[in-house]
Amino acid sequence: MSEPMYKVNLLPLNLQREELIDIRRLLILAVSVTITMLILGVAIFFVVNYFNMRQEIDSETRQLESLQPSVNYVQSLQNQTNTMQAAVTDYKALMNRQITWSSLLYELDDIAPTDLWLVELDLANANQPKVGSTAAAGQTTATPAAQKNAAPEPYPNTLTVKGTALSVPSIGIFVQNMRQLPYFKDAVIKTITAQSEGNSFEITVYI
C-alpha cells in the first residue's frame, strides 16, 4: 500500500502556475460593471427619449405652421363679423331715430298753440358747412365732378323752425311741447322779434 503524496509549491506567488482566485476583487469588478451598464442604459434611454421628443415637437410645429393660414382666415372672418355686427347695431340705432317727416309736420301742428303758425322748416347737419356758402380767400370751390364723387350727406342733426305767434308765451309753450316729442333731444329759442303781424321767432331743435 503506497503512501499519499503531497505537492508543495515553493515558488513565489507571482511565479506559481496555479492562479489564486480573489473573490473580493471579482465582486468589486462585477459591481463596477453592473453600475457602468446601468449608467449607460439610463443615458441611452434619456438620449433616445430626447430625440423622440424633439421629433414630436418638430412635427407639432410643422402642423401649427400648416394650420396658421386657416387660423388667419378664421380671425379675418371674426373681424368681418364684428364689423358687420357693429354696422347692424348702428343701422338699428339710426332706424330707431329715423323720422317720418310727414308725420312730424302733423305732430308739430297738433302741439302748436292756436295763435302760432309755422312759416319755414330747415333740416341740416350742424357739423357740415351750408350749401352755397362763400369760400374764403385763397380756397378753391369743388367742381361738379368732384361733388359727384363726394361722400353722401350725413344724417341731419338739427331742425330750424321759423314762425309767428301772436303772444310770446305761446312760443314758450310750443318749445316745451317739442321737447316732449320722442324725435328731439332739445329745443332752444334763438330769436324773437316783435312785428306788426305778431312775434316772429326762430327755434333750433336738436335731433
Side-chain angles (χ1 to χ4, degrees):
M1 187 174 180
S2 60
E3 295 181 357
M5 297 178 63
Y6 299 96
K7 294 181 178 181
V8 178
N9 193 344
L10 300 178
L11 294 173
L13 291 176
N14 57 346
L15 297 178
Q16 290 182 5
R17 293 182 180 178
E18 297 181 1
E19 297 180 356
L20 298 178
I21 300 175
D22 191 344
I23 301 299
R24 182 179 178 184
R25 184 176 181 183
L26 286 177
L27 288 174
I28 294 173
L29 182 60
V31 170
S32 300
V33 171
T34 302
I35 293 174
T36 302
M37 293 299 294
L38 287 174
I39 293 174
L40 287 175
V42 171
I44 292 172
F45 171 78
F46 279 110
V47 170
V48 172
N49 205 22
Y50 169 77
F51 281 106
N52 289 336
M53 290 179 64
R54 283 296 302 272
Q55 290 179 356
E56 291 180 3
I57 292 173
D58 293 340
S59 176
E60 294 293 334
T61 302
R62 286 191 297 270
Q63 290 181 5
L64 288 176
E65 291 176 351
S66 63
L67 291 175
Q68 190 62 40
S70 299
V71 173
N72 294 338
Y73 179 70
V74 171
Q75 290 178 346
S76 176
L77 288 179
Q78 183 65 40
N79 293 335
Q80 294 179 8
T81 302
N82 293 337
T83 302
M84 293 178 64
Q85 288 177 347
V88 169
T89 301
D90 293 340
Y91 178 75
K92 288 181 177 180
L94 181 61
M95 291 300 294
N96 290 334
R97 293 179 54 195
Q98 185 177 10
I99 300 174
T100 303
W101 299 112
S102 59
S103 301
L104 174 61
L105 292 176
Y106 286 111
E107 292 197 46
L108 290 177
D109 183 65
D110 290 339
I111 66 174
T114 57
D115 63 338
L116 181 148
W117 60 95
L118 303 179
V119 296
E120 183 181 340
L121 296 177
D122 183 18
L123 280 171
N125 186 290
N127 298 323
Q128 292 293 111
K130 291 185 178 180
V131 178
S133 59
T134 303
Q139 294 180 345
T140 57
T141 57
T143 62
Q147 292 176 354
K148 289 183 180 179
N149 296 328
E153 290 295 326
Y155 192 79
N157 56 14
T158 60
L159 171 66
T160 300
V161 180
K162 296 180 180 180
T164 304
L166 297 180
S167 63
V168 174
S170 295
I171 301 173
I173 294 172
F174 182 56
V175 170
Q176 186 62 30
N177 291 339
M178 280 195 296
R179 289 172 178 168
Q180 304 303 319
L181 293 178
Y183 313 118
F184 305 140
K185 296 179 180 179
D186 195 8
V188 178
I189 299 174
K190 290 298 183 181
T191 60
I192 297 178
T193 305
Q195 296 180 349
S196 58
E197 67 274 12
N199 300 286
S200 64
F201 61 87
E202 179 179 334
I203 302 170
T204 299
V205 182
Y206 299 98
I207 303 173

